[in-house]
Amino acid sequence: MTAEQVPALVIGAGPAGLMAAEAIAAAGHWVVVGEAMPTPARKFLMAGKSGLNLTRDEPAPDFAARLSGSAGAGGCDLQALVRGFGPAEVSAWARGLGIELFTGSTGRVFPVGMKASPLLRAWLARLAGRGVALRTPWRWSGLTDGAHVFATPEGERRIAARAVVLAFGGASWPRLGSDAAWVAPLRAAGVEIAPFRPANMGLHVDWSPEMARFHGVAVKGARLTAGAADSRGEWVITRHGIEGGGIYEIAAALRDGAAGRVDLAPDLTVEALAARLARPRGRLSVGNWLRRVLGDPARVALLLEWGRPLPQDPAALARRIKALPLDHAGPMGLDRAISSAGGITAAALTPDLELRALPGVFAAGEMLDWEAPTGGYLLTTCLATGRHAGQAAARRLGQAESAVR
């Protein structure tokens, strides 16, 4: 089968892939984007259902410091990429699409409309106006004789390009398209790939029957710690365990073996809390008495679930409340994780995000081995890596054209 010849090919139409296509098109090159799903950016749209958190309004060095993983070290410095294209640049880019933004009380930046779809529509229209050709559903199935092979509704198609950007995504929420099916073909081509693990995920908990009435209840006003990770965010008790932003802040440390602790009264010292606990209980049941002290039935339920037997001494009970062991049964899987850790390692990449094993092929987004908490860090980094890979691909095309001339 004869392969179609194109200057540039981007595989994957999520935020990283679309940003790569934009960077290549901005340099004057025609781009084909192949996407496995019937419509582009499905995970992006899913994220926008609860309010699209584009980025976080904080200094670029502080923002970049939240990234970790092998792809953020050595010659491939993702932190440097985000310092160069970070919160301010992402906000300016979105405004350039006609999207008004606002910053919430925690520094998170959102579209005023709180939805992803208006931004995506404007973005796709701009890309189409610059000649970017989106082809769906085109599922990549590997490389054959230097051409990229796709399964399409019209049958197998092959494309050969002088520059290629891979933006397949990681391994979380596979039903939205990021199923990591690309791992085996790239490994076979000599690309080093770290195993995927869930990131920004909930934790399984084997609750006692008494906790059933708290399923779906939000825990507010508590502090979570695990290793060096610290969170005051809200989280939710579910039938399967615990989930939500507060948990995601410490999830990586828990996944990697750190012990978790919950401070159910973070605004009180041990001494002040012990003084409250030392007051006569009278005829109140233990549960009602603790509710008077802690002010929140959910926090009391957690204390009774994870803190028994409760110490009788007020000071010892105060210490238990301030450092309650977080008793979990391991992380939830990739199918429920917000994002994934693992992917193409730094050793497999040049500083331009080019695959050392496949010259002319670049990679971006969640398929690289990095992770970050929720709160705008994930989306901004995907956009920054897509832009960087796209610019590098455009330079390669420019150099090839100059050599021909």
Side-chain angles (χ1 to χ4, degrees), residues 380-395:
T380 291
T381 305
C382 285
L383 293 171
T385 57
R387 175 177 176 269
H388 187 75
Q391 289 177 334
R395 286 194 298 273

Side-chain angles (χ1 to χ4, degrees), residues 7 17 76 91 243 250 252 386:
C76 172
S91 295
E243 300 185 56
I250 66 167

Side-chain angles (χ1 to χ4, degrees), residues 10 15-25 31 123 165 167 364 383 385-387 389-391:
V10 174
L18 293 179
M19 186 59 90
E22 183 165 68
I24 297 169
V31 190
W123 195 5
V165 177
L383 293 171
T385 57
R387 175 177 176 269
Q391 289 177 334

Side-chain angles (χ1 to χ4, degrees), residues 256-269:
D256 294 342
R261 294 287 184 271
V262 186
D263 184 346
L264 297 173
D267 298 321
L268 293 174
T269 65

Side-chain angles (χ1 to χ4, degrees), residues 159-180:
I159 295 182
R162 293 196 297 273
V164 178
V165 177
L166 306 180
F168 292 114
S172 64
W173 285 97
R175 66 184 179 85
L176 299 179
S178 299
D179 58 8

